[in-house]
Amino acid sequence: MRKQRTHFDKAFKENAVKLSLERKNISELAQELGIAPFLLYRWRKEYQQKGEASFPGHGVQSLSEDSKRIAELEKRLGEAETERDILKKALSIISKRDR
């Protein structure tokens, strides 16, 4: 039987990271908090890279404005390519009928 996956909220993660920066023994702190040490290391790394933008929650990735713009443009490009392909196919069907 599988173990139920535990979800931690943003406040818990931030407090755990701040405590880990103050202490030397991270394994001991992780044991006190009831989490695995690798989680604490992962949270520290994310907090150091993204700062206050870290831990957005529910699998949502925090994207920069440039990344959001790129994702939107890629989506629009995909839609435009699909429309173009449909029009090409329709044009070929119409041109074959006229012969």
Side-chain angles (χ1 to χ4, degrees), residues 1 3-4 9 11 13 15 17 25-26 28-29 34 37 49-50 54 57 69 72 78 83-84 87 89-90 95 97:
M1 191 157 111
K3 186 177 179 182
Q4 184 69 20
D9 63 343
K13 291 179 182 179
N15 288 333
V17 167
N25 193 339
I26 293 178
E28 186 178 291
L29 175 63
Q49 289 176 348
K50 298 179 183 175
S54 57
R69 177 83 172 135
E72 175 64 28
E83 290 174 3
R84 180 204 61 202
L87 290 173
K89 195 168 200 173
S95 66
R97 259 195 233 161

Side-chain angles (χ1 to χ4, degrees), residues 78-89:
E79 291 170 354
E81 287 174 344
T82 302
E83 290 174 3
R84 180 204 61 202
D85 293 343
I86 291 170
L87 290 173
K88 274 183 172 180
K89 195 168 200 173

Side-chain angles (χ1 to χ4, degrees), residues 17-64:
V17 167
K18 288 175 184 173
L19 283 172
S20 73
L21 294 174
E22 294 171 0
R23 290 198 185 177
K24 289 186 179 184
N25 193 339
I26 293 178
S27 298
E28 186 178 291
L29 175 63
Q31 188 175 15
E32 289 175 18
L33 295 173
I35 60 174
F38 78 90
L39 276 178
L40 203 46
Y41 285 111
R42 185 187 313 157
W43 294 346
R44 282 177 60 161
K45 183 178 178 182
E46 183 177 348
Y47 189 77
Q48 288 171 349
Q49 289 176 348
K50 298 179 183 175
E52 293 298 320
S54 57
F55 318 125
H58 301 294
V60 177
Q61 294 183 359
S62 57
L63 299 175
S64 67

